[in-house]
Each structure stands twice: as C-alpha cells, then as structure tokens.
C-alpha cells in the first residue's frame, strides 16, 4: 500500500483531501495528513512515505524549511 502525506495548516482542507484521495484510490493508498511540521515528522518516522504534498506557506516552519529538514535527516 502506498503512503501519501499531505502537510497543510488548514485542517478542513486536510479532511477533504483525505476523504477524496482515499475514495479516489479505492482504499489502495493510505492517505495521511499533518497540520504542522512536528506531526508530519512523526508520520515520516512511522511510515515509508511514497508521495509528500506540502503547503509552502505555513506558520512557524514553512514548506521549504520542512523540505530542507527532511533532506538533512533522510
């Protein structure tokens, strides 16, 4: 099963994306969501992420900073 992680500070958008993408994949993808970078890091540590979709404009740590952090750690 593929793991897709959406990272966005808009929790309503995350809920919609999770529903739509899970239905679209006919439950062949595990669609994970994270409203902030710390929770996203937790998901990355727990699962092998096949696709990562990140909001560039987030408070505290933006999407580009998160990518730089991932590049250094993984």
């Amino acid at each position: 099963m593929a793991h897709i992680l959406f990272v966005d500070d808009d929790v309503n958008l995350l809920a919609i994306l999770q529903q739509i993408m899970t239905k679209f994949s006919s439950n062949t993808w595990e669609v994970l969501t994270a409203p902030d970078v710390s929770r996203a890091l937790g998901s990355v540590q727990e699962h092998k992420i096949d696709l990562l979709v990140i909001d560039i404009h987030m408070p505290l740590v933006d999407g580009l900073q998160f990518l730089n952090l991932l590049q250094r750690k993984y």
Side-chain angles (χ1 to χ4, degrees), residues 36-47:
D36 55 53
V37 168
S38 64
R39 292 187 199 167
L41 281 173
S43 291
V44 168
Q45 290 171 351
E46 289 181 30
H47 305 280

Side-chain angles (χ1 to χ4, degrees), residues 1-3 5 11-12 15 17 21 26-29 42 44-45 48-49 54-55 57-58 60-61 63 68 72:
M1 177 178 285
H3 294 90
L5 174 59
V11 293
N12 293 323
L17 285 170
M21 297 305 285
S26 300
N27 292 317
T28 59
W29 302 337
V44 168
Q45 290 171 351
K48 178 188 168 282
I49 302 299
I54 306 169
D55 179 8
H57 302 287
M58 292 188 296
L60 300 176
V61 179
N68 285 330
R72 282 183 276 156

Side-chain angles (χ1 to χ4, degrees), residues 19-39:
Q19 283 183 323
I20 290 172
M21 297 305 285
T22 300
K23 187 173 184 175
F24 178 76
S25 76
S26 300
N27 292 317
T28 59
W29 302 337
E30 183 172 0
V31 180
L32 308 167
T33 62
D36 55 53
V37 168
S38 64
R39 292 187 199 167

Side-chain angles (χ1 to χ4, degrees), residues 2-14:
H3 294 90
I4 300 172
L5 174 59
F6 289 92
V7 184
D8 196 303
D9 58 321
D10 184 340
V11 293
N12 293 323
L13 176 63
L14 290 176

